Amino acid sequence: MGMLRPPGGRRCVLLQGQGGSLRRVSLGPASTRNIADIRRQCLALRTTSNETPGRERLAPTVRDFVAGAWKVARFDRHKPSTKRSSRIVLASRSLPAFGAKPLDRIAPTAVRSRFDAFSRTAPGGASRTPDPFRQIMNFAIA
């Protein structure tokens, strides 16, 4: 017999595709958690290896993700001028700060504080600096 839930109770659910079928993973009641915690849990569940049950696969580092999956799926589609500016921002600001960290270990507060500190020294350059990194992180979450 299934577990009874209160009427109208909302739950967070992750849909995972495996071998052509979808698997629903319940993440618990929506009322007790914030969206950042839910996203972190989803990323952790997605990085769990399907080939070896019970063993977690480490999330790729930002540098590896940028050079691999993000470059193929997103960066290669950009206009030449966008590629040029993204390369500059990534090489000078984002990758030195976050390149060695695994994707699932980067906190939004760390990103905000890093770019806030940069905006105090170079406000003009800081206005466009977060854009490529935001695109990378959003693609990683998706």
Side-chain angles (χ1 to χ4, degrees):
M1 185 185 304
M3 194 165 69
L4 296 176
R5 294 189 186 115
R10 293 173 43 178
R11 301 188 66 76
C12 297
V13 176
L14 171 66
L15 297 175
Q16 287 184 318
Q18 290 181 340
S21 65
L22 282 178
R23 187 181 104 186
R24 293 172 55 101
V25 179
S26 176
L27 303 175
S31 61
T32 61
R33 321 228 343 252
N34 65 27
I35 193 72
D37 292 336
I38 294 167
R39 285 181 177 158
R40 222 179 336 272
Q41 185 180 4
C42 286
L43 183 61
L45 287 170
R46 284 184 176 167
T47 57
T48 301
S49 176
N50 292 332
E51 298 84 26
T52 54
R55 287 188 50 181
E56 283 192 25
R57 186 177 72 212
L58 294 176
T61 63
V62 173
R63 184 171 281 112
D64 292 341
F65 185 75
V66 167
W70 182 73
K71 181 182 181 305
V72 171
R74 301 290 182 186
F75 184 77
D76 289 342
R77 295 180 179 178
H78 290 171
K79 296 186 302 187
S81 60
T82 306
K83 286 182 181 181
R84 194 171 33 256
S85 64
S86 292
R87 272 191 201 107
I88 292 168
V89 167
L90 289 172
S92 65
R93 297 288 169 200
S94 302
L95 291 180
F98 302 107
K101 292 186 178 188
L103 282 170
D104 61 346
R105 300 289 185 246
I106 296 175
T109 54
V111 175
R112 262 187 246 110
S113 65
R114 181 79 176 173
F115 289 116
D116 286 346
F118 179 53
S119 69
R120 284 190 285 278
T121 59
S127 65
R128 300 300 293 170
T129 299
D131 290 343
F133 194 69
R134 183 180 304 116
Q135 291 170 6
I136 291 165
M137 296 307 289
N138 286 339
F139 181 70
I141 290 168

